[in-house]
Amino acid sequence: MQNQFVMKFIKLQIITFLFLFANPLLFAGEGMWLPLLLKSLNEAEMQSLGMKMTAEDIYSVNQGSLKDAIVHFGGFCTSELISNEGLLLTNHHCGYGAIQSHTSLENNFLKEGFWAKSKAEEKPNPGLFAKFIVRIEDVTDQVLKGAKDKMNEKELQSLTDKNIDAIRKSTKLEKHEELEIKPFFKGNQYFMFVTMTYTDVRLVGAPPESIGKFGADTDNWEWPRHTGDFSLFRIYAGPDNMPAEYSENNIPYQPKHFLPISLDGVAEGDFTLIFGFPGRTDQYLPAVAIEQTVDVLNPAKIGIRDKALKIIGAKMRADESVKIKYSSKFASTANYWKKWIGESQGLVATNAVMKKRDQEADFQDKIYKKRKLKKKYGMLLGEFETAYKDIEKLAYSRDYYSEVVGRNIEIFRIQGLLSRLLNIYQENGEAGYENYKRRLIPYFENFYKNYDANIDEEVFAALLEMYVENVDNEYIPPTIFNYAMGYDEIAQELYSKTLFKNSEKLMALLSLPAAEAAEQLKEDPIMQLGEEWKELYDEKVATPYNIKKDKINALQKQYMAALIEAYPDKTFWPDANSTMRVTYGQVAGYHPKDAVYYLPVSYLEGVMEKYKPGDYEFDVSAKLIDLFKEKDYGQYADQSGKVPVCFLGTNHTTGGNSGSPAIDAHGNLVGLNFDRVWEGTMSDLNYDKSICRNIMVDIRYVLFIVDKYAGASHLIEEMKLVHPKK
């Protein structure tokens, strides 16, 4: 079954190449492509859009190429090398946690910025890593070896697990290399990624929030944008240029390739390439799934975060110390809250459900014309309808629990870890307890630095009320119904008695002998509520949900294979799954609504137009104002004498592409990807070139801030600045 699919798939790629060559602009913009397949699938189209490179320039195993300058930053963002001394560029919001960890009221690097004057001043960040892709290989035949048509999903999974284990054991790796094998096309294809990870990554520079986070939550996902969303780090290596744990004796990493930087900028229509590690997309969902997302799931998640954010935001505006504690958490929570709002609006505005229905009608028509396809896939869409209807209540309750207990009430994070500590004690005794406790202590110490129990208590009361009012009673812990009081009083009762509300009480508890500490943990009211809630959730929501979701996943895998068989003249790209991808397009504005057109470039003038003295989102430092008044732009202004700040492209991006380089037709860095426009955030589910745009910081604004604002010209001297258009 599976090997037959693979052979068909390979043949389809050849057909696809010919099809694309004859229709070079048909798919421009959409897709997140595997770099090792660019030669056969995308090179001709990319060059038709203006690219001057070859596929070998982008991805090569035998020589330095663009891929060797692209780094998976901490596993959650992308970054790129911009000097031969390991200088790493990523977004300010990607480096935010590291910047915050070095921030205090005395040295407020979030507010004032940070610039190391020498390598000796660069700050280490334990736990932060930089991962490179050494090579990528198609291992589909090996992973699916022995697969039979009659195998069910459980049998097939057991077989693939066994085969993947065999590949791991048989693959020869160099020192420091590791491998990952991931499924593509819903498990119809598999690729192996050989990687190398550096763990000594130091903070080099970051602009103040008034630049790196300018516009904050108001401008998030919006255009025009004026955010200098960047930060600088450096990779350090051992004397052999190989990965090494932090040491003062480590030296800057010497890369196989780093990105030259273009000072010529971009113009509408210019080719743009985004290289990075996009997190997750679901482009091949059926219409019923999109409908459920818009009508049921997104509104629930949006409502919960909206309530929590309003409480925390008010506290942050009233107290600077609270703002420092909660700024990173607030931004993280607000990011997807606003994204879901834009996603739902975009799906409605582009008639995504109706378009999916039309596509499905065409699909049904095609397979019904071929007896073999009708027999294999004729019932698929009907099964989807039934499966999504069957899972809806569970999916809704699952999202409610995840958002309320798993995400937005912080004290349950502590409770969950301590619950695991109790389980380890019961299973492995005192030795296991002490070992796990030692691992927890540093986490707790860091957690309480940025935790306010009074704020959390208020959030608890508000979200508990939402949970009880919106979720079926069978999913609500019975203890809640035992309280004959309001939600504020319930929260006050629990938080006044728990030992988890502050570090001192918890550390005192953990200093007790294991047996005594375990007994007190069992009696804690937050522990009791959390365990009751989790047990109820696991039994009545998670377990039945997972069973139904497995069925949907099996249908989705079958649907993916069906689409490829039904449309032999169409190219398909695999959904994002945090693996290295290339997406390409052009600089372009867009029409967000009737009679409105957004130009694709914003300028420093726009920063000054938005300036609101004292406002935490739109304040501007005196230094930047002076540079603007004096037009002291150095070599970073465009031909009109203005400093570009951000620009738009048609590149298909998602979470994980934050920090990805925007690369020009010649392979030079022209910008830094950091966001999408609000109207197009639905691109994870439904890319529409008419409104889907990614937002990038213009690299000249980055250099202007580094050089003229921060005075860190020593960093500019490391870089290779070029003029490809001249």
Side-chain angles (χ1 to χ4, degrees):
M1 172 186 67
Q2 301 298 333
N3 287 329
Q4 290 176 356
F5 169 87
V6 173
M7 294 307 296
K8 289 180 180 178
F9 187 84
I10 292 171
K11 291 176 183 177
L12 287 172
Q13 303 313 300
I14 298 171
I15 296 171
T16 291
F17 171 71
L18 297 173
F19 181 69
L20 283 174
F21 188 77
N23 302 273
L25 297 180
L26 190 56
F27 297 110
E30 181 177 357
M32 299 174 182
W33 306 90
L34 281 160
L36 82 162
L37 298 179
L38 293 178
K39 182 69 176 177
S40 59
L41 292 181
N42 311 96
E43 186 180 58
E45 183 188 24
M46 295 167 79
Q47 290 175 344
S48 76
L49 294 173
M51 185 181 79
K52 306 303 180 185
M53 297 177 286
T54 66
E56 184 78 5
D57 294 327
I58 297 170
Y59 175 88
S60 176
V61 175
N62 300 317
Q63 61 187 28
S65 59
L66 289 185
K67 83 161 175 63
D68 299 307
I70 313 303
V71 181
H72 207 177
F73 185 82
F76 49 82
C77 278
T78 302
S79 57
E80 52 276 353
L81 288 159
I82 57 171
S83 86
N84 61 2
E85 296 186 73
L87 191 61
L88 206 60
L89 177 67
T90 191
N91 286 152
H92 185 270
H93 75 259
C94 293
Y96 202 87
I99 302 165
Q100 184 186 42
S101 71
H102 298 293
T103 293
S104 64
L105 286 172
E106 294 76 26
N107 294 296
N108 194 333
F109 297 146
L110 293 176
K111 187 175 182 179
E112 305 298 334
F114 167 77
W115 305 96
K117 296 178 181 178
S118 67
K119 293 183 177 67
E121 293 185 5
E122 295 172 358
K123 296 186 176 296
N125 301 281
L128 186 59
F129 62 84
K131 181 180 291 187
F132 291 87
I133 300 297
V134 179
R135 67 181 186 275
I136 308 171
E137 296 179 17
D138 187 339
V139 292
T140 307
D141 285 342
Q142 299 98 300
V143 173
L144 298 179
K145 184 178 181 181
K148 307 294 183 184
D149 285 333
K150 295 182 180 180
M151 283 183 169
N152 59 38
E153 285 301 309
K154 187 175 181 180
E155 291 170 331
L156 184 60
Q157 187 62 54
S158 177
L159 175 72
T160 57
D161 288 344
K162 179 181 177 182
N163 288 342
I164 287 172
D165 186 56
I167 295 171
R168 291 184 182 280
K169 292 177 180 178
S170 63
T171 302
K172 293 182 179 180
L173 299 173
E174 300 296 330
K175 185 180 180 183
H176 300 296
E177 288 183 347
E178 298 176 317
L179 68 82
E180 304 170 5
I181 297 175
K182 290 199 172 187
F184 291 74
F185 293 110
K186 308 301 180 184
N188 286 297
Q189 197 172 19
Y190 288 82
F191 285 88
M192 177 175 74
F193 297 80
V194 177
T195 65
M196 185 174 292
T197 302
Y198 288 76
T199 55
D200 188 355
V201 181
R202 306 182 196 179
L203 176 63
V204 174
E209 284 184 311
S210 60
I211 293 172
K213 203 178 173 185
F214 183 81
D217 305 305
T218 297
D219 273 5
N220 190 25
W221 304 104
E222 300 282 355
W223 186 260
R225 198 65 176 275
H226 299 89
T227 311
D229 194 350
F230 77 93
S231 57
L232 292 162
F233 290 78
R234 193 185 305 278
I235 301 173
Y236 280 79
D240 56 357
N241 207 39
M242 290 289 105
E245 292 300 316
Y246 171 79
S247 168
E248 292 184 359
N249 297 322
N250 284 349
I251 59 174
Y253 169 68
Q254 304 293 304
K256 293 180 181 178
H257 183 76
F258 67 91
L259 299 180
I261 297 175
S262 170
L263 289 176
D264 290 344
V266 296
E268 191 153 15
D270 279 1
F271 174 84
T272 52
L273 181 147
I274 302 292
F275 215 144
F277 296 85
R280 184 169 178 247
T281 59
D282 271 311
Q283 292 291 316
Y284 305 104
L285 288 176
V288 63
I290 302 297
E291 200 166 37
Q292 190 175 93
T293 296
V294 173
D295 294 342
V296 180
L297 303 183
N298 275 1
K301 295 183 290 189
I302 290 166
I304 293 165
R305 292 202 182 192
D306 185 64
K307 181 74 73 173
L309 287 167
K310 283 180 178 176
I311 294 169
I312 297 169
K315 303 294 184 183
M316 289 173 62
R317 288 179 181 273
D319 190 326
E320 180 69 18
S321 65
V322 171
K323 182 175 178 292
I324 291 174
K325 283 183 178 181
Y326 276 81
S327 55
S328 181
K329 292 185 284 190
F330 184 93
S332 176
T333 302
N335 190 43
Y336 264 75
W337 163 76
K338 194 168 183 179
K339 188 260 187 185
W340 290 324
I341 296 172
E343 178 180 82
S344 293
Q345 292 179 353
L347 290 170
V348 171
T350 57
N351 296 313
V353 173
M354 184 59 67
K355 287 179 181 177
K356 287 277 187 181
R357 295 283 184 201
D358 290 343
Q359 291 167 7
E360 288 167 7
D362 187 71
F363 166 78
Q364 197 82 347
D365 181 62
K366 282 186 178 296
I367 64 173
Y368 267 62
K369 289 178 179 178
K370 296 183 179 180
R371 183 178 299 177
K372 183 179 178 182
L373 293 183
K374 180 180 177 180
K375 183 178 179 181
K376 287 174 69 175
Y377 306 123
M379 303 300 292
L380 256 178
L381 295 176
E383 291 180 62
F384 266 136
E385 294 286 340
T386 300
Y388 274 97
K389 182 178 180 180
D390 195 32
I391 204 174
E392 184 169 293
K393 186 169 81 168
L394 291 170
Y396 176 84
S397 302
R398 176 179 177 268
D399 280 355
Y400 238 92
Y401 178 87
S402 298
E403 284 294 315
V404 170
V405 180
R407 173 79 193 196
N408 289 291
I409 299 177
E410 293 187 88
I411 205 165
F412 282 123
R413 296 181 202 172
I414 297 299
Q415 177 270 321
L417 292 170
L418 292 172
S419 180
R420 176 165 171 72
L421 181 64
L422 276 177
N423 291 335
I424 288 174
Y425 177 63
Q426 292 166 0
E427 295 172 4
N428 302 313
E430 188 171 343
Y433 173 93
E434 291 296 333
N435 182 54
Y436 188 59
K437 184 182 79 171
R438 281 193 294 271
R439 291 164 56 191
L440 288 180
I441 296 298
Y443 174 84
F444 290 151
E445 290 174 345
N446 188 60
F447 174 88
Y448 283 107
K449 287 179 183 177
N450 299 312
Y451 177 71
D452 187 311
N454 293 325
I455 295 174
D456 199 37
E457 180 182 324
E458 191 172 336
V459 171
F460 178 100
L463 298 192
L464 178 62
E465 181 177 8
M466 289 187 71
Y467 195 95
V468 173
E469 289 184 353
N470 292 291
V471 175
D472 285 359
N473 284 355
E474 64 179 310
Y475 306 133
I476 299 170
T479 294
I480 298 302
F481 298 116
N482 295 334
Y483 286 100
M485 56 181 72
Y487 297 104
D488 290 340
E489 288 78 14
I490 294 174
Q492 186 176 18
E493 173 80 5
L494 290 168
Y495 278 71
S496 66
K497 293 181 178 179
T498 184
L499 297 173
F500 308 162
K501 68 182 295 183
N502 64 60
S503 177
E504 292 76 15
K505 287 185 177 181
L506 181 58
M507 293 307 174
L509 171 66
L510 294 177
S511 68
L512 297 173
E516 188 177 345
E519 288 304 312
Q520 290 196 34
L521 283 173
K522 292 176 186 177
E523 296 300 317
D524 191 276
I526 290 292
M527 175 64 76
Q528 292 175 346
L529 176 59
E531 291 203 322
E532 179 188 18
W533 211 337
K534 180 68 162 59
E535 185 178 345
L536 180 70
Y537 168 78
D538 286 344
E539 178 187 349
K540 293 193 173 183
V541 179
T543 299
Y545 172 87
N546 289 335
I547 292 170
K548 295 178 188 298
K549 184 63 174 174
D550 285 344
K551 180 180 180 181
I552 288 174
N553 290 341
L555 289 173
Q556 193 71 53
K557 178 180 178 181
Q558 193 178 10
Y559 186 46
M560 190 73 248
L563 287 170
I564 292 174
E565 284 193 61
Y567 296 93
D569 59 348
K570 182 179 179 180
T571 187
F572 291 89
W573 56 274
D575 272 315
N577 59 359
S578 294
T579 57
M580 177 177 272
R581 304 294 181 91
V582 167
T583 173
Y584 51 92
Q586 294 168 300
V587 176
Y590 72 108
H591 291 279
K593 52 190 174 183
D594 183 48
V596 176
Y597 182 76
Y598 281 144
L599 296 171
V601 181
S602 66
Y603 293 92
L604 186 56
E605 278 79 358
V607 175
M608 301 306 161
E609 289 170 1
K610 291 179 177 179
Y611 171 39
K612 295 179 183 177
D615 185 277
Y616 89 97
E617 293 183 307
F618 295 104
D619 203 359
V620 176
S621 70
K623 178 71 176 290
L624 189 59
I625 293 172
D626 289 342
L627 290 169
F628 173 73
K629 287 180 177 178
E630 296 167 8
K631 300 294 184 283
D632 187 5
Y633 301 151
Q635 59 183 327
Y636 310 117
D638 67 7
Q639 291 182 342
S640 69
K642 300 192 296 185
V643 175
V645 176
C646 298
F647 64 94
L648 296 173
T650 61
N651 303 80
H652 194 170
T653 61
T654 187
N657 276 125
S658 289
S660 288
I663 298 169
D664 70 6
H666 304 274
N668 304 307
L669 185 66
V670 289
L672 184 63
N673 187 79
F674 72 99
D675 206 354
R676 286 172 284 170
V677 300
W678 201 33
E679 297 86 357
T681 53
M682 49 79 181
S683 62
D684 289 348
L685 307 178
N686 179 53
Y687 179 88
D688 188 313
K689 190 177 179 180
S690 67
I691 61 171
C692 290
R693 296 289 182 272
N694 62 310
I695 306 176
M696 297 154 277
V697 186
D698 193 296
I699 195 63
R700 290 169 295 180
Y701 188 59
V702 172
L703 299 181
F704 165 70
I705 296 299
V706 172
D707 191 356
K708 306 300 290 186
Y709 179 89
S713 57
H714 61 288
L715 297 176
I716 303 295
E717 291 169 4
E718 279 190 45
M719 306 171 196
K720 181 180 179 181
L721 308 183
V722 297
H723 288 278
K725 290 186 177 181
K726 295 180 180 179

